[in-house]
Amino acid sequence: MSAAQHPAVSVIMPVLNEERHLRNSVRHILEQEYAGEMEVVIALGPSTDRTDEIAAELVAEDPRVHTVPNPTGRTPAALNAAIKASRHPIVVRVDGHGMLSPNYIATAVRLLEETGAQNVGGIMHAEGENAWEDAVAAAMTSKIGVGNAAFHTGGQAGPAETVYLGVFRREALEKADGYNIEFIRAQDWELNFRIREAGGLIWFSPELRVQYRPRPSVRALAKQYKDYGRWRHVVARYHSGSINLRYLAPPTAVVAIAAGIVVGAAVTPWALVVPAGYAAAIVAGSLPAGKGLSLKARAQIPVALATMHMSWGYGFLTSPRSLAKKVIASRRPAVREPDAPVA
């Protein structure tokens, strides 16, 4: 590929309290095996740790790194601010705890050209740094944990509903008017839905891999998946026809297990077969998922699976209609507004 075939790339990164991983994540960007021009725009939320200090150090160390403020702390607002402050025709989304593989950008640019897609993405490759995170990573990359979502479990390259993070053509983001700022979660799925509705192609490829660091505790994982379920229900209300059976499995399980416990305690113990069967299923499913992990990590996989399933289902079931009405009534800010101040 000649130099003329390496379009300039803007990497956008929303960050909030990312002192643990930010420097390493940016290093994985700056060390990409890509011959084209590149910039990194970090959108800084109101962090309470050393994130801002680390970001300032990164700006001082490399002229390709810039920052832009995101006073709301919300991810979609951060992404829109970074898009506005960036300037190149290819836009790569990366999170502050994501680590790009060395040829990620080069491969993504090639796939955009080969497929004609508006957005390409690949596998969210979860990797832990301790036994609990290893357990969560195993759960997040297993079919019993997340169903048949290709960007979690892998699969053949091809058109997709959504992809992890994404590498976009700027014109696609501008045509879509960027991310909907009301979607605190599920903003990727919602944006990709609108791109597809406008005739654009979203392309998944297992060639693209991003290392992802799982949440460090049961409580943090439960909050993450409760928010996922809550906002996925908002997407379903906002975009009719966007739901499928995979998304209905967790809320169905929550209702069935709760009913089994209540009926089992009040009427007949036979109803306890439902929660007992679920417990047996996740224990059995954790065995292949934990292959190669430590005994301590394998023992925690059923906890991770149950936390993900129950929290997602509970969030879906309790998602308030008032939240969906707020989203429907909102207007998306265009990403073509004047640039925000850049540091």
Side-chain angles (χ1 to χ4, degrees):
M1 185 179 286
S2 67
Q5 293 174 296
H6 290 94
V9 169
S10 296
V11 182
I12 59 171
M13 178 182 287
V15 298
L16 180 69
N17 294 324
E18 288 287 1
E19 68 173 359
R20 181 181 174 191
H21 299 299
L22 179 58
R23 177 170 288 278
N24 196 25
S25 181
V26 172
R27 178 180 65 81
H28 278 76
I29 297 169
L30 297 177
E31 294 179 356
Q32 284 289 296
E33 298 170 358
Y34 186 66
E37 183 181 354
M38 182 169 60
E39 66 175 351
V40 181
V41 181
I42 303 172
L44 295 171
S47 295
T48 56
D49 61 8
R50 293 184 61 251
T51 295
D52 287 10
E53 180 182 339
I54 295 169
E57 293 171 357
L58 293 167
V59 170
E61 292 165 7
D62 196 304
R64 293 174 292 176
V65 182
H66 312 284
T67 60
V68 64
N70 172 36
T72 70
R74 292 185 171 189
T75 299
L79 291 165
N80 282 348
I83 293 168
K84 294 174 193 175
S86 66
R87 54 197 174 90
H88 295 321
I90 304 298
V91 179
V92 180
R93 177 185 170 176
V94 182
D95 284 342
H97 46 272
M99 314 295 163
L100 300 185
S101 53
N103 63 346
Y104 181 89
I105 291 177
T107 301
V109 169
R110 172 177 59 80
L111 289 170
L112 283 172
E113 178 64 25
E114 290 178 354
T115 64
Q118 302 302 303
N119 179 22
V120 300
I123 294 175
M124 178 182 179
H125 184 62
E127 288 187 0
E129 296 181 325
N130 54 49
W132 165 251
E133 291 179 3
D134 285 342
V136 177
M140 292 179 69
T141 54
S142 66
K143 289 190 175 181
I144 191 173
V146 294
N148 62 350
F151 68 86
H152 280 297
T153 61
Q156 297 294 316
E161 290 185 342
T162 191
V163 290
Y164 181 53
L165 301 178
V167 178
F168 299 84
R169 299 179 189 271
R170 177 176 291 275
E171 62 262 28
L173 292 172
E174 292 179 345
K175 183 178 180 181
D177 284 339
Y179 291 85
N180 189 320
I181 61 171
E182 297 298 333
F183 279 85
I184 299 174
R185 296 287 184 271
Q187 67 273 157
D188 294 306
W189 205 103
E190 196 275 337
L191 172 62
N192 285 320
F193 182 90
R194 286 188 283 117
I195 291 174
R196 289 188 289 108
E197 287 288 284
L201 174 65
I202 310 299
W203 188 266
F204 166 81
S205 174
E207 293 183 74
L208 298 171
R209 294 168 67 90
V210 181
Q211 288 183 5
Y212 169 86
R213 301 303 185 204
R215 295 297 192 270
S217 67
V218 173
R219 182 176 180 178
L221 182 68
K223 183 181 185 306
Q224 177 188 19
Y225 271 78
K226 184 189 76 172
D227 287 345
Y228 282 171
R230 184 186 194 196
W231 285 93
R232 189 62 190 81
H233 201 165
V234 174
V235 174
R237 293 188 185 119
Y238 188 60
H239 296 298
S240 61
S242 64
I243 201 70
N244 60 42
L245 292 177
R246 177 165 65 90
Y247 297 115
L248 296 177
T252 300
V254 169
V255 171
I257 290 169
I261 293 173
V262 171
V263 173
V267 182
T268 172
W270 284 105
L272 295 175
V273 168
V274 176
Y278 171 77
I282 61 172
V283 169
S286 71
L287 297 178
K291 186 177 181 180
L293 297 182
S294 68
L295 181 60
K296 185 177 181 181
R298 294 200 301 270
Q300 295 182 85
I301 294 175
V303 178
L305 288 169
T307 301
M308 291 161 56
H309 294 161
M310 297 298 102
S311 299
W312 202 103
Y314 176 80
F316 189 94
L317 290 168
T318 59
S319 178
R321 285 194 169 274
S322 59
L323 186 61
K325 290 177 182 177
K326 180 182 178 183
V327 171
I328 291 170
S330 70
R331 296 181 64 186
R332 295 185 299 274
V335 299
R336 287 165 286 186
E337 294 173 359
D339 288 354
V342 178

